[in-house]
Amino acid sequence: QKLSARLYTNCKEDRIPLRSGVAVSIALLGAEGLVPIPGNVQKMQPYCVCDVPTRPQMRFRTKYVAAAPDPFWQHEQPLGTLGPSDDLEISVYSKSFVKEDDLIGRAKVSAALAREGFDGSLQLFRPGLLKSSGS
């Protein structure tokens, strides 16, 4: 299970002091190989939630994509200014209209990586089932 994401800074400076905040935007492009929750008879309808636990006002979510194990969101959003301790948590859920939404997987991005910029795939882990090797 992989999530395609792009994180980039909203500034033109080459060097930014590490103690200052950096304005960051994120693009949640899509995912591939999503594995449904065992026992769930509904078709997967995935969406993402992006959280900055130290800054709850930065939370946002994408729209859901119906019946898609390889969803394509192409959702781009400015996050705001991230400080050195503002890690990101990106969770993929499957929308349900009859019960609580299912967590499919989660990826964590360190504040340092988010502030430097990133363009690629993030491995999704399902809490309680898979252990991350150093996230």
Side-chain angles (χ1 to χ4, degrees):
Q1 301 189 105
K2 291 186 179 175
L3 174 74
S4 296
R6 182 178 302 129
L7 293 151
Y8 52 94
T9 59
N10 299 334
C11 62
K12 299 189 183 335
E13 299 174 19
D14 289 334
R15 297 275 180 209
I16 300 165
L18 288 177
R19 67 181 176 276
S20 69
V22 177
V24 173
S25 290
I26 186 169
L28 297 172
L29 306 175
E32 58 186 49
L34 297 181
V35 178
I37 302 299
N40 188 348
V41 295
Q42 294 184 349
K43 291 188 177 181
M44 203 172 358
Q45 302 186 90
Y47 66 92
C48 282
V49 174
C50 182
D51 273 313
V52 180
T54 54
R55 296 175 186 241
Q57 72 276 15
M58 289 185 176
R59 179 184 174 108
F60 73 89
R61 72 178 264 179
T62 67
K63 63 183 180 194
Y64 72 89
V65 179
D70 298 323
F72 185 72
W73 297 290
Q74 195 66 29
H75 183 100
E76 202 161 333
Q77 174 120 5
L79 281 177
T81 302
L82 294 181
S85 61
D86 294 330
D87 296 339
L88 301 177
E89 205 171 86
I90 304 168
S91 302
V92 178
Y93 291 89
S94 181
K95 178 76 179 150
S96 174
F97 294 99
V98 295
K99 63 180 189 64
E100 188 174 311
D101 295 351
D102 290 319
L103 175 63
I104 296 171
R106 182 172 285 142
K108 293 188 180 191
V109 179
S110 71
L113 181 59
R115 290 159 46 100
E116 288 173 16
F118 173 82
D119 189 357
S121 294
L122 298 167
Q123 185 69 44
L124 292 173
F125 296 95
R126 190 174 293 160
L129 295 181
L130 299 172
K131 300 261 186 224
S132 165
S133 57
S135 336

